[in-house]
Amino acid sequence: TLAEQTATEGFQNTVIFEPFGGNFGLTRLGMSEFGWTCSQPLDLIDGYDLLTKEGEELLFRVLREHKPFLLMIAFDCRIWSLMTNMSPWLDWDQIRSNVGRKTLRLIVRACKFQHDAGRYFLVENPAGSLAWIWEGLLAELLERCQAKFVIGHQCRYGLVDSVSKKPIRKATGWLSDSEPILNALG
């Protein structure tokens, strides 16, 4: 469409880039349903550890060279859940202070880079995730990139219980510098 052509500067750039592991739902949907050209997701199982120097360099190289219209970040929520504190054999505060802090700082740098380039970002994590408030790191995006935060429920996007097939109202937080994207999610 004309919108896709405009968003990708004449199909020279990609539409979506999802750098963190997971099921890459948006990339798969965009490619299969709309035929969008998307950047290859980076995943730990493929050998891409974004918290290493090499992984971070690769992330920013993709942002510079592919110029994705939308940077979609759905990062690991396990260490940010209040339920993790029920596992006393792990020092969750230490894990958050190490891996968690590195992850959040990388997300902020990537989103700022994307925003400064005139493109959009969307960060997703459960609404009750500690990541949203931890050390105020993601709050930087609210101020620096005029981002906004909304809460939506994943049942709206087809999340159902695997056994009963009934919708699940999983509250999810979304942070973006694109108001139209947030209006569609919230």
Side-chain angles (χ1 to χ4, degrees):
T1 67
L2 186 56
E4 294 164 339
Q5 186 175 355
T6 302
T8 61
E9 295 182 47
F11 303 108
Q12 294 182 55
N13 304 325
T14 60
V15 179
I16 299 168
F17 176 41
E18 289 183 270
F20 282 87
N23 65 11
F24 310 115
L26 194 57
T27 297
R28 287 186 296 120
L29 177 73
M31 291 173 71
S32 66
E33 294 293 318
F34 304 109
W36 289 345
T37 301
C38 298
S39 297
Q40 172 68 40
L42 306 177
D43 193 32
L44 197 54
I45 62 171
D46 295 325
Y48 302 113
D49 182 354
L50 298 180
L51 299 182
T52 64
K53 181 181 178 204
E54 296 80 15
E56 186 175 325
E57 287 172 357
L58 178 59
L59 167 70
F60 284 95
R61 185 169 61 240
V62 170
L63 289 174
R64 273 191 315 278
E65 293 175 5
H66 295 199
K67 299 177 183 159
F69 179 75
L70 177 66
L71 171 64
M72 171 61 190
I73 298 181
F75 60 100
D76 191 349
C77 61
R78 289 176 290 182
I79 67 171
W80 302 106
S81 169
L82 294 175
M83 297 298 283
T84 58
N85 295 324
M86 295 176 68
S87 304
W89 54 89
L90 292 172
D91 186 351
W92 291 105
D93 287 332
Q94 177 60 31
I95 293 169
R96 288 180 191 118
S97 293
N98 184 2
V99 174
R101 181 179 287 125
K102 281 182 176 179
T103 301
L104 294 179
R105 285 183 175 161
L106 179 60
I107 290 168
V108 169
R109 285 195 316 276
C111 289
K112 285 179 181 178
F113 181 92
Q114 183 77 352
H115 178 80
D116 290 347
R119 298 185 297 269
Y120 302 103
F121 65 82
L122 177 64
V123 180
E124 178 272 334
N125 221 246
S129 170
L130 290 175
W132 296 119
I133 60 170
W134 199 75
E135 293 189 356
L137 290 172
L138 292 178
E140 285 183 45
L141 297 174
L142 293 169
E143 184 178 321
R144 169 70 167 68
C145 300
Q146 297 84 42
K148 292 191 170 54
F149 179 81
V150 299
I151 295 176
H153 294 279
Q154 289 196 13
C155 58
R156 180 176 177 185
Y157 306 102
L159 183 65
V160 296
D161 181 79
S162 61
V163 176
S164 72
K165 304 300 181 205
K166 292 183 179 181
I168 298 175
R169 272 187 59 114
K170 182 179 179 185
T172 301
W174 307 91
L175 178 70
S176 181
D177 60 345
S178 169
E179 202 151 332
I181 289 173
L182 289 176
N183 288 338
L185 295 168

